[in-house]
Amino acid sequence: EIVLTQSPGTLSLSPGERVTLSCRASQSVTGTYLAWYQQKPGQAPRLLMYGASNRAPGIPDRFSGSGSGTDFTLTVRRVEPEDSAVYYCQHYGGSPRITFGQGTRLEIK
Amino acid sequence: QVQLQESGSGLVKPSQTLSLTCTVSGGSITSAGYSWSWIRQAPGKGLDWIGYIYQTGSAYFNPSLQSRVTMSIDKSKNQFSLKLTSVTAADTAVYFCVRYDDYNYHFDFWGQGTLVSVSS
């Protein structure tokens, strides 16, 4: 089973800064199967990126994804207070193998 | 716009069976290229995939829960359901029903989630 490890666990930034979140897989994976989600308190997660680098509909271009092999990143340019949330990466490893990272909490203040 | 809505008991006694139903609107549960999932989130914790079911009724489950999980689909009602047996306090969580895009390998539409507490 592929384990996804996200880092850092928590970070705090000021508006306008740039941030890069990491998702590391325990073995090499195909980027096609890697997605990112944003979850705000009391809400369901929202799809941000799929196929490692494809933005979901309606997601601002401040968000970008990249990576390959075991290392994937989600970058947010010019963070805004509304970006405060927990971010999860997710991998599809065939049926029945869908796994999530443990999440990175991002605080903007 | 596809919408999903969970319904079911919010309180289940230990050792009993948790039962939830998800009603899909704004799209058909028989649409090609999608499967229908349940994901849960214990209080303050991360996301835990439970399983998914296809319109054919074929289902796949997280190996950690496989022995206790069943899913079913009712195409006439545009609904799918989850049953989790022999629950314990560790099954207390918000349960989300979610659509999975089988072509692009991601979860695209989520229900709002429903809290299920396991307590006597």
Side-chain angles (χ1 to χ4, degrees):
Chain A
E1 176 180 325
I2 291 173
V3 176
L4 300 178
T5 302
Q6 293 187 240
S7 61
T10 305
L11 68 168
S12 182
L13 280 73
S14 298
E17 292 190 276
R18 179 178 185 270
V19 63
T20 297
L21 310 183
S22 171
C23 176
R24 178 161 290 176
S26 57
Q27 58 186 278
S28 183
V29 301
T30 304
T32 302
Y33 302 144
L34 199 287
W36 289 91
Y37 302 84
Q38 175 194 66
Q39 186 179 31
K40 297 182 180 180
Q43 297 183 17
R46 176 175 71 147
L47 176 69
L48 292 177
M49 313 292 302
Y50 64 94
S53 60
N54 299 292
R55 265 187 305 277
I59 302 302
D61 61 6
R62 301 185 292 106
F63 291 85
S64 63
S66 64
S68 63
T70 60
D71 294 309
F72 296 85
T73 59
L74 174 70
T75 298
V76 188
R77 291 184 293 113
R78 300 189 307 276
V79 296
E80 300 179 1
E82 67 190 42
D83 299 332
S84 293
V86 179
Y87 293 80
Y88 295 96
C89 57
Q90 171 254 315
H91 177 257
Y92 169 80
S95 297
R97 292 279 187 262
I98 291 181
T99 54
F100 289 91
Q102 83 279 20
T104 290
R105 183 177 301 277
L106 175 63
E107 183 182 73
I108 310 299
K109 54 181 180 179
Chain B
Q1 176 89 343
V2 174
Q3 293 183 309
L4 299 92
Q5 179 67 57
E6 304 89 351
S7 60
S9 177
L11 180 63
V12 183
K13 289 181 167 45
S15 79
Q16 294 192 344
T17 297
L18 177 160
S19 296
L20 294 173
T21 295
C22 182
T23 301
V24 180
S25 58
S28 174
I29 206 166
T30 61
S31 296
Y34 300 104
S35 54
W36 305 92
S37 270
W38 291 94
I39 291 170
R40 69 181 183 178
Q41 186 171 38
K45 302 297 185 183
L47 301 167
D48 185 25
W49 173 70
I50 299 171
Y52 55 62
I53 187 167
Y54 292 95
Q55 58 167 306
T56 58
S58 297
Y60 298 88
F61 307 125
N62 188 322
S64 68
L65 297 169
Q66 186 168 5
S67 63
R68 299 194 290 131
V69 174
T70 57
M71 290 185 187
S72 59
I73 194 162
D74 187 334
K75 289 180 273 190
S76 67
K77 294 182 179 178
N78 229 33
Q79 293 177 335
F80 62 106
S81 298
L82 167 72
K83 290 189 187 298
L84 181 65
T85 62
S86 304
V87 298
T88 69
D91 296 308
T92 293
V94 173
Y95 286 74
F96 297 99
C97 60
V98 197
R99 191 177 81 167
Y100 187 71
D101 182 329
D102 292 324
Y103 292 153
N104 294 294
Y105 307 100
H106 61 259
F107 298 101
D108 57 2
F109 289 99
W110 296 66
Q112 65 185 25
T114 187
L115 174 63
V116 179
S117 298
V118 178
S119 174
S120 54

CSV table of all heavy atoms in Angstrom, one decimal, chain B residues 15-68:
chain,number,residue,atom,x,y,z
B,15,SER,N,-21.7,-2.1,18.6
B,15,SER,CA,-22.0,-3.4,18.1
B,15,SER,C,-23.1,-3.5,17.1
B,15,SER,O,-23.3,-4.5,16.4
B,15,SER,CB,-22.2,-4.5,19.2
B,15,SER,OG,-23.6,-4.3,19.7
B,16,GLN,N,-23.8,-2.4,16.9
B,16,GLN,CA,-24.9,-2.4,16.0
B,16,GLN,C,-24.4,-1.9,14.6
B,16,GLN,O,-23.2,-1.8,14.3
B,16,GLN,CB,-26.0,-1.4,16.5
B,16,GLN,CG,-26.7,-2.0,17.7
B,16,GLN,CD,-28.0,-1.3,18.1
B,16,GLN,OE1,-28.3,-0.2,17.6
B,16,GLN,NE2,-28.8,-1.9,19.0
B,17,THR,N,-25.4,-1.8,13.6
B,17,THR,CA,-25.0,-1.5,12.3
B,17,THR,C,-25.3,0.0,11.9
B,17,THR,O,-26.4,0.4,12.1
B,17,THR,CB,-25.8,-2.4,11.3
B,17,THR,OG1,-25.4,-3.8,11.6
B,17,THR,CG2,-25.5,-2.1,9.8
B,18,LEU,N,-24.3,0.6,11.3
B,18,LEU,CA,-24.5,2.0,10.8
B,18,LEU,C,-25.1,1.9,9.4
B,18,LEU,O,-24.5,1.1,8.6
B,18,LEU,CB,-23.1,2.6,10.8
B,18,LEU,CG,-22.9,4.0,10.3
B,18,LEU,CD1,-21.6,4.6,10.9
B,18,LEU,CD2,-22.8,4.1,8.8
B,19,SER,N,-26.1,2.7,9.1
B,19,SER,CA,-26.7,2.7,7.8
B,19,SER,C,-26.9,4.1,7.3
B,19,SER,O,-27.5,4.9,8.0
B,19,SER,CB,-28.1,2.0,7.8
B,19,SER,OG,-28.0,0.6,8.2
B,20,LEU,N,-26.4,4.4,6.1
B,20,LEU,CA,-26.5,5.7,5.5
B,20,LEU,C,-26.9,5.5,4.1
B,20,LEU,O,-26.5,4.6,3.4
B,20,LEU,CB,-25.2,6.4,5.6
B,20,LEU,CG,-24.7,6.8,7.0
B,20,LEU,CD1,-23.3,7.4,6.9
B,20,LEU,CD2,-25.6,7.8,7.7
B,21,THR,N,-27.6,6.5,3.6
B,21,THR,CA,-28.0,6.6,2.2
B,21,THR,C,-27.6,7.9,1.6
B,21,THR,O,-27.6,8.9,2.3
B,21,THR,CB,-29.6,6.4,2.1
B,21,THR,OG1,-29.9,5.1,2.5
B,21,THR,CG2,-30.0,6.6,0.6
B,22,CYS,N,-27.2,7.9,0.4
B,22,CYS,CA,-26.8,9.1,-0.4
B,22,CYS,C,-27.8,9.3,-1.5
B,22,CYS,O,-27.9,8.4,-2.4
B,22,CYS,CB,-25.4,9.0,-0.8
B,22,CYS,SG,-24.8,10.5,-1.7
B,23,THR,N,-28.4,10.4,-1.6
B,23,THR,CA,-29.3,10.7,-2.7
B,23,THR,C,-28.6,11.7,-3.7
B,23,THR,O,-28.1,12.7,-3.3
B,23,THR,CB,-30.6,11.4,-2.2
B,23,THR,OG1,-31.2,10.4,-1.4
B,23,THR,CG2,-31.5,11.7,-3.4
B,24,VAL,N,-28.5,11.3,-4.9
B,24,VAL,CA,-27.8,12.1,-6.0
B,24,VAL,C,-28.9,12.9,-6.8
B,24,VAL,O,-29.9,12.3,-7.2
B,24,VAL,CB,-27.0,11.1,-6.9
B,24,VAL,CG1,-26.3,12.0,-8.0
B,24,VAL,CG2,-26.0,10.3,-6.1
B,25,SER,N,-28.6,14.1,-7.0
B,25,SER,CA,-29.5,15.0,-7.8
B,25,SER,C,-28.7,15.7,-8.8
B,25,SER,O,-27.5,15.9,-8.6
B,25,SER,CB,-30.3,15.9,-6.9
B,25,SER,OG,-29.5,16.7,-6.2
B,26,GLY,N,-29.3,16.2,-9.9
B,26,GLY,CA,-28.6,17.0,-10.9
B,26,GLY,C,-27.8,16.1,-11.8
B,26,GLY,O,-27.0,16.7,-12.6
B,27,GLY,N,-27.9,14.8,-11.7
B,27,GLY,CA,-27.2,13.9,-12.6
B,27,GLY,C,-27.6,12.5,-12.3
B,27,GLY,O,-28.2,12.2,-11.2
B,28,SER,N,-27.3,11.6,-13.2
B,28,SER,CA,-27.8,10.2,-13.0
B,28,SER,C,-26.7,9.4,-12.4
B,28,SER,O,-25.5,9.5,-12.8
B,28,SER,CB,-28.1,9.6,-14.4
B,28,SER,OG,-28.4,8.2,-14.2
B,29,ILE,N,-27.1,8.5,-11.5
B,29,ILE,CA,-26.1,7.6,-10.9
B,29,ILE,C,-25.6,6.5,-11.8
B,29,ILE,O,-24.7,5.8,-11.6
B,29,ILE,CB,-26.8,6.9,-9.6
B,29,ILE,CG1,-25.7,6.5,-8.6
B,29,ILE,CG2,-27.7,5.8,-10.0
B,29,ILE,CD1,-26.3,6.2,-7.2
B,30,THR,N,-26.3,6.5,-13.0
B,30,THR,CA,-25.8,5.5,-14.0
B,30,THR,C,-24.9,6.2,-15.1
B,30,THR,O,-24.6,5.5,-16.1
B,30,THR,CB,-27.1,4.9,-14.7
B,30,THR,OG1,-27.8,5.9,-15.4
B,30,THR,CG2,-27.9,4.2,-13.7
B,31,SER,N,-24.6,7.4,-14.9
B,31,SER,CA,-23.7,8.1,-15.9
B,31,SER,C,-22.4,7.3,-16.0
B,31,SER,O,-21.8,6.9,-15.0
B,31,SER,CB,-23.4,9.5,-15.4
B,31,SER,OG,-24.5,10.3,-15.4
B,32,ALA,N,-21.9,7.2,-17.2
B,32,ALA,CA,-20.7,6.4,-17.5
B,32,ALA,C,-19.5,7.2,-17.0
B,32,ALA,O,-19.4,8.4,-17.0
B,32,ALA,CB,-20.5,6.2,-19.0
B,33,GLY,N,-18.5,6.4,-16.5
B,33,GLY,CA,-17.3,7.0,-16.1
B,33,GLY,C,-17.2,7.5,-14.6
B,33,GLY,O,-16.2,8.1,-14.2
B,34,TYR,N,-18.2,7.1,-13.9
B,34,TYR,CA,-18.2,7.5,-12.4
B,34,TYR,C,-18.5,6.3,-11.5
B,34,TYR,O,-19.2,5.4,-11.9
B,34,TYR,CB,-19.2,8.6,-12.2
B,34,TYR,CG,-19.0,9.9,-13.0
B,34,TYR,CD1,-19.7,10.2,-14.1
B,34,TYR,CD2,-17.9,10.7,-12.7
B,34,TYR,CE1,-19.5,11.3,-14.9
B,34,TYR,CE2,-17.7,11.9,-13.4
B,34,TYR,CZ,-18.5,12.1,-14.5
B,34,TYR,OH,-18.2,13.2,-15.3
B,35,SER,N,-18.0,6.4,-10.4
B,35,SER,CA,-18.4,5.5,-9.3
B,35,SER,C,-18.7,6.3,-8.1
B,35,SER,O,-18.5,7.5,-8.1
B,35,SER,CB,-17.3,4.5,-9.0
B,35,SER,OG,-16.1,5.1,-8.7
B,36,TRP,N,-19.3,5.6,-7.1
B,36,TRP,CA,-19.9,6.4,-6.0
B,36,TRP,C,-19.3,5.9,-4.7
B,36,TRP,O,-19.3,4.7,-4.4
B,36,TRP,CB,-21.4,6.1,-6.0
B,36,TRP,CG,-21.9,6.6,-7.4
B,36,TRP,CD1,-22.1,5.8,-8.5
B,36,TRP,CD2,-22.3,7.9,-7.8
B,36,TRP,NE1,-22.5,6.6,-9.5
B,36,TRP,CE2,-22.6,7.9,-9.1
B,36,TRP,CE3,-22.3,9.1,-7.1
B,36,TRP,CZ2,-23.0,9.0,-9.8
B,36,TRP,CZ3,-22.7,10.3,-7.8
B,36,TRP,CH2,-23.0,10.2,-9.1
B,37,SER,N,-18.8,6.8,-3.9
B,37,SER,CA,-17.9,6.5,-2.8
B,37,SER,C,-18.5,6.9,-1.4
B,37,SER,O,-19.3,7.8,-1.4
B,37,SER,CB,-16.6,7.1,-2.9
B,37,SER,OG,-15.7,6.3,-3.6
B,38,TRP,N,-17.9,6.3,-0.4
B,38,TRP,CA,-18.1,6.8,0.9
B,38,TRP,C,-16.7,7.1,1.5
B,38,TRP,O,-15.8,6.3,1.4
B,38,TRP,CB,-18.8,5.8,1.8
B,38,TRP,CG,-20.3,5.7,1.5
B,38,TRP,CD1,-20.8,4.7,0.6
B,38,TRP,CD2,-21.4,6.5,1.9
B,38,TRP,NE1,-22.2,4.9,0.5
B,38,TRP,CE2,-22.5,6.0,1.3
B,38,TRP,CE3,-21.5,7.6,2.7
B,38,TRP,CZ2,-23.8,6.6,1.5
B,38,TRP,CZ3,-22.7,8.2,3.0
B,38,TRP,CH2,-23.9,7.7,2.3
B,39,ILE,N,-16.6,8.2,2.2
B,39,ILE,CA,-15.3,8.7,2.8
B,39,ILE,C,-15.7,9.1,4.2
B,39,ILE,O,-16.8,9.8,4.4
B,39,ILE,CB,-14.6,9.8,2.0
B,39,ILE,CG1,-14.1,9.2,0.7
B,39,ILE,CG2,-13.5,10.4,2.8
B,39,ILE,CD1,-13.6,10.3,-0.3
B,40,ARG,N,-14.9,8.9,5.2
B,40,ARG,CA,-15.2,9.3,6.5
B,40,ARG,C,-14.1,10.1,7.1
B,40,ARG,O,-12.9,10.0,6.7
B,40,ARG,CB,-15.6,8.2,7.4
B,40,ARG,CG,-14.5,7.2,7.8
B,40,ARG,CD,-15.0,6.1,8.7
B,40,ARG,NE,-13.9,5.2,9.1
B,40,ARG,CZ,-14.1,4.2,9.9
B,40,ARG,NH1,-15.3,3.9,10.4
B,40,ARG,NH2,-13.1,3.4,10.3
B,41,GLN,N,-14.4,10.9,8.1
B,41,GLN,CA,-13.4,11.7,8.8
B,41,GLN,C,-13.7,11.8,10.3
B,41,GLN,O,-14.7,12.4,10.7
B,41,GLN,CB,-13.4,13.1,8.2
B,41,GLN,CG,-12.4,14.1,8.7
B,41,GLN,CD,-12.3,15.3,7.9
B,41,GLN,OE1,-13.3,15.9,7.5
B,41,GLN,NE2,-11.1,15.8,7.7
B,42,ALA,N,-12.9,11.1,11.1
B,42,ALA,CA,-13.1,11.1,12.5
B,42,ALA,C,-12.8,12.6,13.0
B,42,ALA,O,-12.1,13.3,12.4
B,42,ALA,CB,-12.2,10.2,13.2
B,43,PRO,N,-13.4,12.9,14.1
B,43,PRO,CA,-13.3,14.3,14.6
B,43,PRO,C,-11.8,14.7,14.8
B,43,PRO,O,-11.0,14.0,15.4
B,43,PRO,CB,-13.9,14.3,16.0
B,43,PRO,CG,-15.0,13.2,15.9
B,43,PRO,CD,-14.3,12.1,15.0
B,44,GLY,N,-11.4,15.8,14.1
B,44,GLY,CA,-10.1,16.3,14.1
B,44,GLY,C,-9.1,15.5,13.4
B,44,GLY,O,-7.9,15.8,13.5
B,45,LYS,N,-9.5,14.6,12.6
B,45,LYS,CA,-8.6,13.7,11.9
B,45,LYS,C,-8.7,13.9,10.4
B,45,LYS,O,-9.4,14.7,9.9
B,45,LYS,CB,-8.9,12.2,12.2
B,45,LYS,CG,-8.8,11.9,13.7
B,45,LYS,CD,-7.4,12.1,14.2
B,45,LYS,CE,-7.3,11.7,15.7
B,45,LYS,NZ,-6.0,12.0,16.3
B,46,GLY,N,-7.9,13.1,9.6
B,46,GLY,CA,-7.9,13.2,8.2
B,46,GLY,C,-9.0,12.3,7.5
B,46,GLY,O,-9.9,11.8,8.2
B,47,LEU,N,-8.9,12.2,6.2
B,47,LEU,CA,-9.9,11.5,5.4
B,47,LEU,C,-9.5,10.1,5.2
B,47,LEU,O,-8.4,9.7,5.0
B,47,LEU,CB,-9.9,12.2,4.0
B,47,LEU,CG,-10.2,13.7,4.0
B,47,LEU,CD1,-10.0,14.3,2.7
B,47,LEU,CD2,-11.7,13.9,4.4
B,48,ASP,N,-10.6,9.2,5.3
B,48,ASP,CA,-10.4,7.8,5.3
B,48,ASP,C,-11.4,7.2,4.3
B,48,ASP,O,-12.6,7.3,4.5
B,48,ASP,CB,-10.7,7.2,6.7
B,48,ASP,CG,-10.5,5.7,6.8
B,48,ASP,OD1,-9.7,5.2,6.0
B,48,ASP,OD2,-11.1,5.1,7.7
B,49,TRP,N,-10.9,6.7,3.1
B,49,TRP,CA,-11.7,6.1,2.1
B,49,TRP,C,-12.3,4.8,2.6
B,49,TRP,O,-11.6,3.9,3.0
B,49,TRP,CB,-10.9,6.0,0.8
B,49,TRP,CG,-11.7,5.2,-0.3
B,49,TRP,CD1,-12.7,5.7,-1.0
B,49,TRP,CD2,-11.4,3.9,-0.7
B,49,TRP,NE1,-13.1,4.8,-1.9
B,49,TRP,CE2,-12.3,3.7,-1.8
B,49,TRP,CE3,-10.5,2.9,-0.4
B,49,TRP,CZ2,-12.4,2.5,-2.5
B,49,TRP,CZ3,-10.5,1.7,-1.1
B,49,TRP,CH2,-11.4,1.5,-2.1
B,50,ILE,N,-13.6,4.7,2.4
B,50,ILE,CA,-14.3,3.4,2.9
B,50,ILE,C,-14.5,2.5,1.7
B,50,ILE,O,-14.2,1.3,1.8
B,50,ILE,CB,-15.7,3.8,3.5
B,50,ILE,CG1,-15.5,4.7,4.7
B,50,ILE,CG2,-16.4,2.5,3.8
B,50,ILE,CD1,-16.8,5.2,5.2
B,51,GLY,N,-14.9,3.0,0.6
B,51,GLY,CA,-15.1,2.1,-0.6
B,51,GLY,C,-15.9,2.8,-1.7
B,51,GLY,O,-16.3,4.0,-1.5
B,52,TYR,N,-16.1,2.2,-2.8
B,52,TYR,CA,-16.9,2.7,-3.8
B,52,TYR,C,-17.7,1.6,-4.6
B,52,TYR,O,-17.3,0.4,-4.5
B,52,TYR,CB,-16.2,3.6,-4.8
B,52,TYR,CG,-15.0,3.1,-5.5
B,52,TYR,CD1,-15.0,2.0,-6.4
B,52,TYR,CD2,-13.7,3.7,-5.3
B,52,TYR,CE1,-13.9,1.5,-7.0
B,52,TYR,CE2,-12.6,3.2,-6.0
B,52,TYR,CZ,-12.7,2.2,-6.8
B,52,TYR,OH,-11.6,1.7,-7.5
B,53,ILE,N,-18.8,2.0,-5.2
B,53,ILE,CA,-19.6,1.1,-5.9
B,53,ILE,C,-19.9,1.6,-7.3
B,53,ILE,O,-20.1,2.9,-7.5
B,53,ILE,CB,-20.9,0.9,-5.1
B,53,ILE,CG1,-21.8,-0.3,-5.7
B,53,ILE,CG2,-21.8,2.1,-4.9
B,53,ILE,CD1,-22.9,-0.8,-4.8
B,54,TYR,N,-20.0,0.7,-8.3
B,54,TYR,CA,-20.4,1.1,-9.6
B,54,TYR,C,-21.9,0.9,-9.8
B,54,TYR,O,-22.5,0.2,-9.1
B,54,TYR,CB,-19.6,0.2,-10.6
B,54,TYR,CG,-18.1,0.5,-10.6
B,54,TYR,CD1,-17.2,-0.2,-9.9
B,54,TYR,CD2,-17.6,1.6,-11.4
B,54,TYR,CE1,-15.8,0.1,-9.9
B,54,TYR,CE2,-16.2,1.9,-11.5
B,54,TYR,CZ,-15.4,1.1,-10.7
B,54,TYR,OH,-14.0,1.4,-10.7
B,55,GLN,N,-22.3,1.4,-10.9
B,55,GLN,CA,-23.8,1.3,-11.2
B,55,GLN,C,-24.1,-0.2,-11.4
B,55,GLN,O,-25.3,-0.6,-11.3
B,55,GLN,CB,-24.2,2.1,-12.5
B,55,GLN,CG,-23.4,1.7,-13.7
B,55,GLN,CD,-24.0,2.3,-15.0
B,55,GLN,OE1,-25.2,2.1,-15.2
B,55,GLN,NE2,-23.2,3.1,-15.7
B,56,THR,N,-23.1,-1.0,-11.8
B,56,THR,CA,-23.4,-2.5,-12.0
B,56,THR,C,-23.6,-3.2,-10.6
B,56,THR,O,-24.1,-4.3,-10.6
B,56,THR,CB,-22.2,-3.1,-12.6
B,56,THR,OG1,-21.0,-2.9,-11.8
B,56,THR,CG2,-22.0,-2.5,-14.0
B,57,GLY,N,-23.3,-2.5,-9.5
B,57,GLY,CA,-23.3,-3.1,-8.2
B,57,GLY,C,-22.0,-3.7,-7.7
B,57,GLY,O,-21.9,-4.0,-6.6
B,58,SER,N,-21.0,-3.7,-8.6
B,58,SER,CA,-19.7,-4.1,-8.2
B,58,SER,C,-19.1,-3.1,-7.2
B,58,SER,O,-19.3,-1.9,-7.4
B,58,SER,CB,-18.8,-4.2,-9.4
B,58,SER,OG,-19.2,-5.2,-10.3
B,59,ALA,N,-18.5,-3.5,-6.2
B,59,ALA,CA,-18.0,-2.6,-5.1
B,59,ALA,C,-16.6,-3.0,-4.7
B,59,ALA,O,-16.3,-4.2,-4.7
B,59,ALA,CB,-19.0,-2.6,-3.9
B,60,TYR,N,-15.9,-2.0,-4.2
B,60,TYR,CA,-14.5,-2.2,-3.7
B,60,TYR,C,-14.4,-1.5,-2.4
B,60,TYR,O,-14.8,-0.4,-2.3
B,60,TYR,CB,-13.5,-1.8,-4.7
B,60,TYR,CG,-13.5,-2.5,-6.0
B,60,TYR,CD1,-14.4,-2.1,-7.1
B,60,TYR,CD2,-12.8,-3.6,-6.3
B,60,TYR,CE1,-14.5,-2.8,-8.3
B,60,TYR,CE2,-12.8,-4.3,-7.5
B,60,TYR,CZ,-13.7,-3.9,-8.5
B,60,TYR,OH,-13.7,-4.6,-9.6
B,61,PHE,N,-13.7,-2.1,-1.5
B,61,PHE,CA,-13.7,-1.6,-0.1
B,61,PHE,C,-12.2,-1.4,0.4
B,61,PHE,O,-11.3,-2.2,0.0
B,61,PHE,CB,-14.5,-2.4,0.9
B,61,PHE,CG,-15.9,-2.7,0.4
B,61,PHE,CD1,-16.3,-4.0,0.3
B,61,PHE,CD2,-16.7,-1.7,0.1
B,61,PHE,CE1,-17.6,-4.3,-0.1
B,61,PHE,CE2,-18.0,-2.0,-0.3
B,61,PHE,CZ,-18.5,-3.3,-0.4
B,62,ASN,N,-12.1,-0.5,1.3
B,62,ASN,CA,-10.8,-0.4,2.0
B,62,ASN,C,-10.5,-1.7,2.7
B,62,ASN,O,-11.4,-2.1,3.5
B,62,ASN,CB,-10.9,0.8,3.0
B,62,ASN,CG,-9.5,1.1,3.6
B,62,ASN,OD1,-8.8,0.2,3.9
B,62,ASN,ND2,-9.3,2.4,3.8
B,63,PRO,N,-9.4,-2.3,2.5
B,63,PRO,CA,-9.1,-3.6,3.1
B,63,PRO,C,-9.3,-3.5,4.7
B,63,PRO,O,-9.6,-4.6,5.3
B,63,PRO,CB,-7.7,-3.9,2.7
B,63,PRO,CG,-7.5,-3.2,1.4
B,63,PRO,CD,-8.3,-1.9,1.6
B,64,SER,N,-9.0,-2.4,5.3
B,64,SER,CA,-9.1,-2.3,6.7
B,64,SER,C,-10.6,-2.4,7.2
B,64,SER,O,-10.8,-2.6,8.4
B,64,SER,CB,-8.5,-1.0,7.2
B,64,SER,OG,-9.3,0.1,6.7
B,65,LEU,N,-11.5,-2.2,6.3
B,65,LEU,CA,-12.9,-2.2,6.7
B,65,LEU,C,-13.7,-3.3,6.0
B,65,LEU,O,-14.9,-3.5,6.3
B,65,LEU,CB,-13.6,-0.8,6.4
B,65,LEU,CG,-13.0,0.4,7.2
B,65,LEU,CD1,-13.6,1.7,6.6
B,65,LEU,CD2,-13.4,0.3,8.6
B,66,GLN,N,-13.1,-4.0,5.1
B,66,GLN,CA,-13.8,-4.8,4.1
B,66,GLN,C,-14.7,-5.8,4.8
B,66,GLN,O,-15.8,-6.1,4.3
B,66,GLN,CB,-12.8,-5.6,3.3
B,66,GLN,CG,-13.4,-6.4,2.2
B,66,GLN,CD,-12.3,-6.9,1.2
B,66,GLN,OE1,-11.1,-6.6,1.3
B,66,GLN,NE2,-12.8,-7.5,0.1
B,67,SER,N,-14.3,-6.4,5.9
B,67,SER,CA,-15.1,-7.4,6.6
B,67,SER,C,-16.4,-6.9,7.2
B,67,SER,O,-17.3,-7.7,7.5
B,67,SER,CB,-14.3,-8.1,7.7
B,67,SER,OG,-13.9,-7.2,8.7
B,68,ARG,N,-16.5,-5.6,7.3
B,68,ARG,CA,-17.7,-5.0,8.0
B,68,ARG,C,-18.5,-4.1,7.1
B,68,ARG,O,-19.6,-3.6,7.5
B,68,ARG,CB,-17.2,-4.1,9.2
B,68,ARG,CG,-16.5,-4.9,10.3
B,68,ARG,CD,-16.4,-4.1,11.5
B,68,ARG,NE,-15.5,-2.9,11.4
B,68,ARG,CZ,-15.9,-1.7,11.8
B,68,ARG,NH1,-17.1,-1.4,12.3
B,68,ARG,NH2,-15.0,-0.7,11.7
